[in-house]
Amino acid sequence: MSIGPAVSDEFAKVVTATFKLAAPALVLPLLLASPVLAQEAQPRSGEEIFTTKCIACHAGGQNTLNPKKTLTKEALKKYGYDTEDKITEIVSNGKAPMPKYAIKSKKLGLSPEEISNVANYVLERSEQGWKK
């Protein structure tokens, strides 16, 4: 390979080999700093998910579509949704008119860990009476 009259083939080989070794080290920090990759690597908190997905119908632990079935501690117990597993089940599979969130859509769905996070958030808030 000839780069020019003043550059030997041996020098060109050294430069090429060096670049091949250094390129991953130069690109890796850029990939790790990407907000998209960071978001996928770290699931959102229960509070963040509740604020973006649930608050329209369940602000303050209420239920705008069925006022009897709130997210208060008493109502969750009465209707059998007072455990992480039961809340995870309804968030995952939905129950009309509530949509299911265990779907593969990156825009609409939630990961299993995010569903667990929001279930625990609902339980914590219900224990606190939905007061901050």
Side-chain angles (χ1 to χ4, degrees), residues 1-16:
M1 165 163 58
S2 178
I3 297 176
V7 178
S8 72
D9 285 341
E10 189 61 34
F11 179 74
K13 288 178 185 177
V14 170
V15 169
T16 302

Side-chain angles (χ1 to χ4, degrees), residues 39-65:
Q39 183 180 10
E40 289 178 5
Q42 185 174 8
R44 294 173 289 169
S45 71
E47 181 177 15
E48 182 181 351
I49 295 162
F50 189 87
T51 302
T52 58
K53 302 278 188 187
C54 312
I55 205 161
C57 295
H58 296 291
Q62 298 303 303
N63 186 333
T64 59
L65 301 175

